[in-house]
Amino acid sequence: MAEVLTKASLVSSWRRGDGQQQYHHHRRVPKSCSLVSGVGKFPSLKLKSQIVRSSSSSSEFQGKKLVLHGNRGIPVRLNSRLRPSTGPQMNLRIGKVQKWWEKGLQPNMREVTSAEDLVESLLNAGDKLVVVDFFSPGCGGCKALHPKICQLAEMNPDVQFLQVNYEEHKSMCYSLNVHVLPFFRFYRGAHGRLCSFSCTNATIKKFKDALAKHTPDRCSLGPTKGLEEKELLALSANKDLSFTYSPKPLQPAHAPTNEEFSTKNAPASCSGSLPLASLTLNSEVFKERTLITSGR
């Protein structure tokens, strides 16, 4: 019994000592606590704020060594990773912006993709008027003139407008002798090229006059001509282009038959009456001859 009482007294004294030890241990936290962090030691102000916050929950440790984890920096990094970046969004927005030569295009306007595409487009146009527009993305005059060309294309839906990008088809433009921009060429049916000229925003009247002159419907006799023979040969001779063209064989001259030759060289028929002038001339010649003979 005595041993039980002594043990109970020891337990009660240990609890009182434990409370004091826990209290003193809590007061000694600033000196003995160690920080475990993935980024390093925190400044003194952050350390104090960490200790003050942990004072309310210190009773739960029951005298164990208090270890503070400085993880305040980690959520920031996680947030920065989880936060959607604005870089790809800006790239997508920039990619969707239309280029200036793509704005305001009408259904009768399209861009040429190759030399073969240009040749076939002209041949398939038939009697329709085709305007070929040579431009460059870095040409200020082309950019200023483009909105007016789109307006004229809208006003003339029966006219086909073909755009040729000089930067993408330099070799083809050299073969077609295009050395100034902006540059235009008009084509129609069997007539082939009607006119070619260069104009700017200040001289747009030249383009309007040519459009008004060649816009009326006309029926051309014969197949559609398109590009000229020398232009087709220049395109096929250009090694940078995948375009082939075989010149048409020359047709021999038509030799006249015997019947045509005989009818051509046959004397005129005497069934018809001769003109009055020829009769008087013959009578005068006859009189002169009679006078000469009588004089002899």
Side-chain angles (χ1 to χ4, degrees), residues 162-264:
L162 300 178
Q163 294 178 304
V164 179
N165 192 333
Y166 181 83
E167 296 298 330
E168 295 181 359
H169 306 286
K170 284 185 179 180
S171 186
M172 181 177 69
C173 292
Y174 286 146
S175 299
L176 296 177
N177 295 323
V178 177
H179 304 292
V180 61
L181 297 174
F183 193 75
F184 301 93
R185 280 183 177 174
F186 286 58
Y187 294 87
R188 181 196 287 277
H191 299 284
R193 188 170 68 186
L194 301 174
C195 62
S196 59
F197 55 89
S198 175
C199 72
T200 60
N201 199 8
T203 59
I204 187 64
K205 187 178 182 301
K206 185 188 298 184
F207 186 92
K208 292 180 180 180
D209 294 342
L211 193 62
K213 178 180 179 181
H214 301 292
T215 297
D217 295 335
R218 298 174 186 175
C219 294
S220 57
L221 300 176
T224 306
K225 185 177 180 181
L227 295 179
E228 297 181 358
E229 186 77 11
K230 60 180 181 181
E231 294 175 339
L232 294 173
L233 292 175
L235 291 176
S236 61
N238 194 333
K239 297 181 180 180
D240 297 335
L241 303 176
S242 58
F243 178 77
T244 57
Y245 173 75
S246 56
K248 298 178 181 180
L250 296 176
Q251 296 181 356
H254 178 65
T257 61
N258 294 331
E259 295 180 356
E260 293 179 353
F261 182 79
S262 60
T263 54
K264 183 178 179 180

Side-chain angles (χ1 to χ4, degrees), residues 132-145:
V132 183
D133 177 9
F134 297 88
F135 73 95
S136 175
C139 174
C142 303
K143 183 178 180 180
L145 189 62

Side-chain angles (χ1 to χ4, degrees), residues 2-278:
E3 291 177 359
V4 173
L5 292 174
T6 54
K7 288 181 179 181
S9 62
L10 288 173
V11 170
S12 62
S13 63
W14 177 80
R15 288 180 178 176
R16 289 194 300 271
D18 184 21
Q20 293 176 0
Q21 184 179 2
Q22 181 180 3
Y23 174 73
H24 291 295
H25 178 72
H26 173 67
R27 295 293 298 273
R28 290 197 298 272
V29 166
K31 296 181 180 180
S32 62
C33 69
S34 62
L35 300 177
V36 179
S37 172
V39 281
K41 296 182 179 181
F42 286 87
S44 59
L45 293 176
K46 293 184 178 181
L47 179 61
K48 290 179 181 180
S49 62
Q50 291 275 350
I51 296 172
V52 172
R53 292 180 181 178
S54 63
S55 62
S56 61
S57 60
S58 62
S59 61
E60 298 177 358
F61 290 95
Q62 299 297 331
K64 297 179 183 179
K65 187 176 180 180
L66 181 63
V67 179
L68 300 177
H69 297 275
N71 296 330
R72 292 188 63 187
I74 295 177
V76 177
R77 291 188 175 183
L78 292 176
N79 291 337
S80 63
R81 292 177 182 177
L82 297 176
R83 188 180 304 167
S85 60
T86 58
Q89 295 178 0
M90 293 298 294
N91 293 335
L92 291 175
R93 291 178 182 177
I94 293 174
K96 291 181 180 178
V97 176
Q98 282 187 333
K99 300 172 183 178
W100 65 261
W101 60 91
E102 298 176 348
K103 296 180 180 178
L105 293 180
Q106 302 300 320
N108 56 338
M109 301 178 68
R110 71 176 188 87
E111 188 173 349
V112 173
T113 58
S114 62
E116 186 176 0
D117 183 21
L118 176 62
V119 174
E120 291 181 355
S121 299
L122 293 175
L123 292 178
N124 296 331
D127 292 334
K128 183 184 295 185
L129 179 64
V130 181
V131 179
V132 183
D133 177 9
F134 297 88
F135 73 95
S136 175
C139 174
C142 303
K143 183 178 180 180
L145 189 62
H146 178 71
K148 293 188 177 181
I149 299 298
C150 293
Q151 292 178 1
L152 293 173
E154 184 179 5
M155 296 169 60
N156 299 273
D158 295 333
V159 180
Q160 179 67 45
F161 287 79
L162 300 178
Q163 294 178 304
V164 179
N165 192 333
Y166 181 83
E167 296 298 330
E168 295 181 359
H169 306 286
K170 284 185 179 180
S171 186
M172 181 177 69
C173 292
Y174 286 146
S175 299
L176 296 177
N177 295 323
V178 177
H179 304 292
V180 61
L181 297 174
F183 193 75
F184 301 93
R185 280 183 177 174
F186 286 58
Y187 294 87
R188 181 196 287 277
H191 299 284
R193 188 170 68 186
L194 301 174
C195 62
S196 59
F197 55 89
S198 175
C199 72
T200 60
N201 199 8
T203 59
I204 187 64
K205 187 178 182 301
K206 185 188 298 184
F207 186 92
K208 292 180 180 180
D209 294 342
L211 193 62
K213 178 180 179 181
H214 301 292
T215 297
D217 295 335
R218 298 174 186 175
C219 294
S220 57
L221 300 176
T224 306
K225 185 177 180 181
L227 295 179
E228 297 181 358
E229 186 77 11
K230 60 180 181 181
E231 294 175 339
L232 294 173
L233 292 175
L235 291 176
S236 61
N238 194 333
K239 297 181 180 180
D240 297 335
L241 303 176
S242 58
F243 178 77
T244 57
Y245 173 75
S246 56
K248 298 178 181 180
L250 296 176
Q251 296 181 356
H254 178 65
T257 61
N258 294 331
E259 295 180 356
E260 293 179 353
F261 182 79
S262 60
T263 54
K264 183 178 179 180
N265 296 331
S269 61
C270 300
S271 60
S273 60
L274 295 176
L276 180 62
S278 61

